[in-house]
């Protein structure tokens, strides 16, 4: 399950939505009361899209295609040519989560990359839409090939990156660069698919008990 946002609300109360049909990523948006929607348009080919808005209310989308994490933005009414934010050598890139800090339009993404013997949770910082700026990537956690459910990230009001994920049925949480905390205490390690969000000075992580 990809835990990245699929629907966001801009400053004018318009909704922006991404979804997939088959192996195609689509985008649509609404008017203020969400009674009218634009015709869906193709963003790119792949799966597991996640959407975020920058400080100008412009939508950016990340999604995966095989060994690549792709990105595109809506510019002057059209989606830009997808570019590769991250490319793995031999690993399947899966289930991204995505957020933009509108104070400076810096972006953050987290995902898993999986081979037949191992898997990783990674966290990247980058400038969405700027293909000339370097992407900084750090490995957050590593495990066996089937250990991870998709990570989820959010930003608190100060711009701090909050990340949660599950490994082998245990939910973990980390503020970027900080100590990894174990949140779940499920008998039999049955905790999966956590989602993190921040509301003012309150932080919540919600997950499923199998």
């Amino acid at each position: 399950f990809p835990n990245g946002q699929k629907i966001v609300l801009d400053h004018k109360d318009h909704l922006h939505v991404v979804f997939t049909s088959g192996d195609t990523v689509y985008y649509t948006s609404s008017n203020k009361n969400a009674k009218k929607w634009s015709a869906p348009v193709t963003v790119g080919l792949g799966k597991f899209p996640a959407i975020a808005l920058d400080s100008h209310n412009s939508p950016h989308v990340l999604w995966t295609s095989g060994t690549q994490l792709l990105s595109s933005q809506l510019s002057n009414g059209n989606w830009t040519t997808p570019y590769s934010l991250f490319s793995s050598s031999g690993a399947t890139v899966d289930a991204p989560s995505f957020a933009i800090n509108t104070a400076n339009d810096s972006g953050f993404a987290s995902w898993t990359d999986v081979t037949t013997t191992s898997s990783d949770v990674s966290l990247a910082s980058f400038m969405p839409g700027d293909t000339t700026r370097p992407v900084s990537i750090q490995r957050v956690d590593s495990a066996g090939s089937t250990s991870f459910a998709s990570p989820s990230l959010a930003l608190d009001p100060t711009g701090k990156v909050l990340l949660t994920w599950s490994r082998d049925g245990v939910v973990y949480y980390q503020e970027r660069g900080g100590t990894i905390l174990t949140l779940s205490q499920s008998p039999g390690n049955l905790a999966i698919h956590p989602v993190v969000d921040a509301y003012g000075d309150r932080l919540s992580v919600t997950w499923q008990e199998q």
Side-chain angles (χ1 to χ4, degrees):
F1 295 87
N3 287 341
Q5 290 190 104
K6 307 298 183 297
I7 180 169
V8 290
L9 184 70
D10 69 20
H11 298 157
K12 297 181 179 180
D13 291 335
H14 297 168
L15 293 168
H16 302 262
V17 178
V18 286
F19 61 96
T20 56
S21 179
D23 289 327
T24 303
V25 175
Y26 293 95
Y27 163 83
T28 182
S29 61
S30 78
N31 64 351
K32 186 172 183 178
N33 58 16
K35 291 183 178 180
K36 293 183 180 181
W37 292 82
S38 64
V41 295
T42 299
V43 179
L45 298 178
K47 298 180 178 179
F48 303 136
I51 189 171
L53 300 177
D54 63 21
S55 62
H56 303 289
N57 276 339
S58 297
H60 298 251
V61 176
L62 298 185
W63 70 98
T64 66
S65 179
T67 61
Q68 295 191 90
L69 181 65
L70 301 175
S71 177
S72 179
Q73 72 178 105
L74 188 62
S75 177
N76 297 320
N78 296 299
W79 286 93
T80 60
T81 301
Y83 71 96
S84 180
L85 189 68
F86 170 76
S87 182
S88 174
S89 57
T92 299
V93 179
D94 209 3
S97 187
F98 176 35
I100 293 176
N101 184 348
T102 55
N104 56 15
D105 282 337
S106 58
F108 302 91
S110 186
W111 65 90
T112 59
D113 45 279
V114 183
T115 70
T116 57
T117 59
S118 65
S119 59
D120 299 315
V121 172
S122 297
L123 176 65
S125 57
F126 61 103
M127 293 300 295
D130 189 343
T131 61
T132 65
R133 297 281 290 269
V135 179
S136 175
I137 299 174
Q138 65 183 93
R139 183 177 297 169
V140 178
D141 199 359
S142 298
S145 61
T146 59
S147 298
F148 289 113
S150 60
S152 170
L153 66 80
L155 303 177
D156 74 7
T158 69
K160 186 180 298 180
V161 179
L162 316 172
L163 179 64
T164 186
W165 67 98
S166 68
R167 170 165 50 86
D168 293 323
V170 178
V171 169
Y172 297 94
Y173 166 83
Q174 183 191 48
E175 294 182 0
R176 184 187 183 194
T179 302
I180 295 176
L181 305 177
T182 302
L183 296 188
S184 63
Q185 299 184 21
S186 167
N189 293 340
L190 300 176
I192 57 173
H193 305 312
V195 177
V196 63
D197 211 344
Y199 304 88
D201 62 353
R202 296 179 180 269
L203 166 68
S204 66
V205 178
T206 308
W207 62 89
Q208 174 188 345
E209 293 282 350
Q210 297 183 85

